[in-house]
Amino acid sequence: MTYPQAIQYLYDRLPVFHHIGGDAYKPGLANTIRLLDALGNPQHTYRTIHIAGTNGKGSVSHMLAAVLQQAGYRTGLYTSPHLVDFGERIRIDGKMIDPDYVCRFVGSHKSLIEEVQPSFFEVTMAMAFDYFAAQQVDVAVIEVGLGGRLDSTNIIRPELSVITNISFDHTAFLGNTLAKIAAEKAGIIKPRTPVVIGENLPETRPVFVAKAQEMDAPLTFAEEQVHITAHRHIADKLQVTTGTGATYQVGLTGIYQLKNIATTLAALHVLRQNPAFHLSDAALHEGLDRVVALTGLQGRWQTVRLHPRVVLDTGHNVAGIENVVRQLREQTCRTLRIVIGMVSDKDIDTVLTLLPREAAYYFTQARTARALPAATLQAKAAPVHLHGTAYPTVAQAVQAALHDAAPDDFIFVGGSNFVVGEALEEMQPPTPSR
């Protein structure tokens, strides 16, 4: 079995949430327990850190992993979804999972997979836990897939839990109020295990306080621990200063990362109190500075071309798009061009009302069954005065925007992970065959 064949087997055999949406969602831990019991519960052979939240959990996961790597720990990182290559989901010290291991795992456990009938996410997570154990990692940073309480990853016994923020997304599964969503996310809080909360909202604070008290879990609100008092861009880095006078240079440039950076710094403060971890100031500074190089993080206000400048960002729900638009307003350019495609189960109408009317639009659709047809998106955009042309593929939309753009224009590409992934394929050199 080749690597492409192994990945195709997983796609064909198992329900995949990022392809078909809610029909692939299998809440609860029954399948996970069966899979991991059969594998000998590899997740208990190394330390873990658990990250949940509506937005920002990927960025926080990567920043924490980068600092741990820089401190000398062999660090696993499990995130989802991937943008271009399946291997992005499972990394050790920034390096994607060995394709041969994927082939061996799928080949060896076909009968188990077909007996348990898990989701794609459940198998991917079991593979990650098994790989981390086989490669003898010291610690693994584990990003929650969806929610928290019923998420497959909630099988681990972490050293630290982090919940980045709460906003509206996946409301059909998590609830239609911030308090209900917070209750689902709070499900990752474990007995006597420290938890860091990234945002302190009046609707969600009581939920987290009550759950932490129930679990006897030390609770930190990042906003009370870390105050970022100033920030500025230096080349492709974001320099931040905290209320204590400490300055950090972070290899991420989205203004929305300020909250994620504060959450990460608060999490590191708690982690440094754990005698199992020794994180020097140098490791903290270098890890944050080199987060992209160390972990391979992509798609977060990522500049892929200059003259015209082309930026990609994976923000795809209302809160994520609000952050994107805030930063788009700060750009200086001749013409703003926006390549956008969305999946059909998001709050598309609200997102469209947030986007700048003065931009030239290139409506498109990614190669997924969940994609809203480009022409439908174009039609939905017209009543809120967003105008442009519909393109049947992301590649065509990106190329059209590049063709139309002057050197001092700004092209933004986003709306969904799928659009960003296909744009990366189009605009970056191909990686060596895996």
Side-chain angles (χ1 to χ4, degrees):
M1 178 180 287
T2 65
Y3 178 69
Q5 288 172 336
I7 301 303
Q8 197 60 50
Y9 168 82
L10 296 177
Y11 282 145
D12 291 345
R13 186 71 183 80
L14 306 173
V16 185
F17 185 92
H18 76 273
H19 281 179
I20 64 174
D23 288 343
Y25 181 48
K26 295 191 174 186
L29 300 178
N31 285 345
T32 298
I33 291 170
R34 290 180 66 187
L35 287 172
L36 293 175
D37 279 349
L39 296 173
N41 286 298
Q43 75 278 8
H44 298 323
T45 65
Y46 42 84
R47 301 182 188 279
T48 55
I49 298 168
H50 207 188
I51 317 291
T54 304
N55 294 309
K57 58 184 181 289
S59 295
V60 171
S61 295
H62 282 78
M63 283 189 277
L64 287 174
V67 172
L68 289 163
Q69 287 174 228
Q70 198 65 36
Y73 294 99
R74 186 164 172 78
T75 304
L77 177 61
Y78 176 68
T79 60
S80 63
H82 63 272
L83 295 178
V84 178
D85 190 308
F86 170 86
E88 297 166 31
R89 294 169 177 256
I90 306 170
R91 297 180 184 265
I92 296 177
D93 290 345
K95 184 178 180 181
M96 290 191 285
I97 186 171
D98 182 350
D100 290 339
Y101 194 94
V102 176
C103 298
R104 291 196 302 272
F105 184 91
V106 173
S108 299
H109 300 295
K110 265 190 176 183
S111 59
L112 175 65
I113 292 169
E114 291 171 9
E115 176 190 344
V116 175
Q117 295 287 302
S119 69
F120 177 90
F121 184 88
E122 288 166 331
V123 169
T124 301
M125 184 205 66
M127 183 191 302
F129 289 173
D130 192 66
Y131 185 61
F132 294 156
Q135 297 297 311
Q136 299 181 314
V137 302
D138 300 310
V139 59
V141 179
I142 308 298
E143 180 191 4
V144 168
L146 194 158
R149 181 176 65 92
L150 299 176
D151 188 73
S152 306
T153 63
N154 208 24
I155 198 75
I156 60 176
R157 303 167 186 165
E159 302 291 317
L160 170 69
S161 302
V162 179
I163 302 173
T164 58
N165 59 53
I166 303 296
S167 55
F168 292 104
D169 201 7
H170 303 298
T171 53
F173 309 110
L174 305 181
N176 58 4
T177 69
L178 293 180
K180 288 179 180 178
I181 297 170
E184 291 298 318
K185 309 282 186 185
I188 72 166
I189 300 175
K190 301 295 192 301
R192 295 171 296 283
T193 300
V195 56
V196 171
I197 309 298
E199 286 186 352
N200 187 2
L201 301 177
E203 301 97 322
T204 60
R205 181 185 178 99
V207 177
F208 294 130
V209 169
K211 186 64 176 181
Q213 289 175 343
E214 177 191 341
M215 295 287 105
D216 192 24
L219 174 65
T220 298
F221 285 95
E223 293 178 353
E224 297 173 356
Q225 176 72 43
V226 178
H227 302 279
I228 293 179
T229 57
H231 71 271
R232 62 174 179 155
H233 285 99
I234 300 179
D236 57 348
K237 304 290 174 68
L238 188 62
Q239 187 183 82
V240 300
T241 302
T242 69
T244 63
T247 298
Y248 303 92
Q249 190 160 285
V250 184
L252 300 171
T253 58
I255 297 299
Y256 60 83
Q257 295 292 359
L258 292 173
K259 288 185 178 180
N260 295 331
I261 292 166
T263 302
T264 301
L265 290 172
L268 289 166
H269 175 78
V270 173
L271 209 55
R272 293 173 96 176
Q273 298 172 38
N274 185 330
F277 294 95
H278 301 281
L279 305 174
S280 67
D281 287 344
L284 200 157
H285 283 271
E286 284 293 313
L288 293 176
D289 184 46
R290 302 182 57 229
V291 56
V292 172
L294 288 169
T295 66
L297 178 61
Q298 293 196 99
R300 273 64 171 189
W301 200 259
Q302 178 182 359
T303 298
V304 293
R305 187 169 298 190
L306 298 172
H307 313 302
R309 187 178 177 199
V310 181
V311 169
L312 288 66
D313 194 274
T314 55
H316 57 271
N317 52 36
V318 170
I321 295 297
E322 283 177 338
N323 287 327
V324 164
V325 171
R326 194 172 298 121
Q327 192 146 359
L328 285 175
R329 297 289 186 198
E330 297 184 5
Q331 307 309 311
T332 301
C333 61
R334 191 193 68 143
T335 301
L336 173 62
R337 302 180 185 278
I338 295 181
V339 176
I340 186 168
M342 298 189 70
V343 294
S344 55
D345 54 2
K346 297 300 178 183
D347 186 356
I348 294 166
D349 292 334
T350 301
V351 164
L352 291 172
T353 65
L354 299 172
L355 296 171
R357 294 182 178 183
E358 71 274 11
Y361 283 87
Y362 302 76
F363 302 103
T364 190
Q365 62 193 76
R367 299 185 300 265
T368 172
R370 291 172 63 200
L372 186 74
T376 304
L377 184 60
Q378 180 189 35
K380 282 179 169 287
V384 291
H385 309 290
L386 307 181
H387 301 291
T389 304
Y391 296 88
T393 70
V394 173
Q396 286 175 290
V398 167
Q399 288 303 325
L402 288 170
H403 176 269
D404 295 345
D408 55 351
D409 284 357
F410 187 103
I411 300 174
F412 173 80
V413 183
S416 86
N417 289 296
F418 304 102
V419 169
V420 170
E422 291 182 28
L424 283 169
E425 288 180 316
E426 178 69 15
M427 302 193 68
Q428 292 190 329
T431 55
S433 178
R434 284 171 57 78

